Amino acid sequence: MIGKICGIICVISFIFGCFTGNLSQLSSAVVDGASNAVTLTITLMGMMCLWSGIMRVAQVSGIIDKFASLMSPVLKFLFPDAYKKKNGLGEIAASISANIFGIGNAATPLAICAMEKLQENNEKKDVATNDMIMFAVLGTASFDIFPTTLIALRRAADSQNPFEIIVPVWICSFLTAVFAVLLVKGFCALKKR
């Protein structure tokens, strides 16, 4: 679908460029856009590789398990079934911590592993459990302490102060995460009735 939308935008741009006599500017924009896309991709890949490596070292060294035990009161409230079965808490903590540090791309493999562990706890394999729903919601509406991907994007766009968005990100991401948790808990309570 996104390919069709991009294709339509390209065709419309070409038609308007022909009619307005701006084909030279259109050609320059295409070349500059392609160059900027490659630069941006390399910048984001570097950031993703760095944080993926840090998360892997933290996982192997046991820091993630310590973080999971530190987060155990929160995990017990958010994921009661996984907490009771003691299966998947380390993976959930790793994914949540990656999201907290704003490295959503590096959190994806960790989230897949956590979701597989949550599926092991699932008795009805074709229906998502409350823990799975909570995990998916927290993955999309997570609290970010240090939004590294966003800061990398701002640096790539030559922002004068790429870190000035940190406080608004804290406020917005915290409120979004709290609202998401309350919404999921509310719907889970309604489902039990």
Side-chain angles (χ1 to χ4, degrees):
M1 180 68 174
I2 227 163
K4 291 178 184 178
I5 292 171
C6 288
I8 291 169
I9 290 172
C10 289
V11 169
I12 291 172
S13 299
F14 180 75
I15 291 170
F16 274 96
C18 288
F19 283 121
T20 59
N22 293 328
L23 277 179
S24 62
Q25 285 99 347
L26 180 65
S27 321
S28 297
V30 168
V31 171
D32 292 343
S35 173
N36 291 339
V38 169
T39 304
L40 179 63
T41 302
I42 290 171
T43 302
L44 289 178
M45 276 180 29
M47 184 67 72
M48 187 174 145
C49 290
L50 170 71
W51 283 103
S52 292
I54 289 172
M55 290 305 295
R56 182 69 183 140
V57 168
Q59 196 172 24
V60 169
S61 66
I63 293 172
I64 296 297
D65 293 331
K66 289 177 185 171
F67 186 66
S69 65
L70 183 70
M71 288 180 54
S72 65
V74 175
L75 293 175
K76 182 178 181 180
F77 172 72
L78 295 175
F79 308 100
D81 190 47
Y83 189 82
K84 185 170 42 175
K85 295 180 180 174
K86 301 292 184 202
N87 187 21
L89 290 178
E91 291 80 3
I92 291 170
S95 179
I96 288 174
S97 60
N99 279 323
I100 285 173
F101 289 111
I103 46 176
N105 294 336
T108 301
L110 298 169
I112 291 170
C113 187
M115 197 60 84
E116 287 172 350
K117 291 288 188 177
L118 291 174
Q119 182 67 2
E120 290 174 10
N121 299 341
N122 192 358
E123 294 169 9
K124 298 179 183 176
K125 300 296 183 188
D126 58 339
V127 177
T129 64
N130 292 343
D131 285 359
M132 294 169 92
I133 294 167
M134 179 64 78
F135 183 69
V137 167
L138 275 179
T140 50
S142 65
F143 175 61
D144 288 345
I145 290 176
F146 193 70
T148 53
T149 303
L150 189 56
I151 290 169
L153 284 170
R154 289 177 54 84
R155 285 185 56 92
D158 294 327
S159 172
Q160 295 297 320
N161 187 2
F163 296 95
E164 71 185 352
I165 47 100
I166 287 181
V167 173
V169 165
W170 288 347
I171 294 167
C172 291
S173 64
F174 177 76
L175 291 176
T176 303
V178 168
F179 180 72
V181 167
L182 292 175
L183 206 59
V184 171
K185 286 292 187 182
F187 279 120
C188 290
L190 283 175
K191 192 172 96 172
K192 284 183 182 178
R193 290 183 187 176

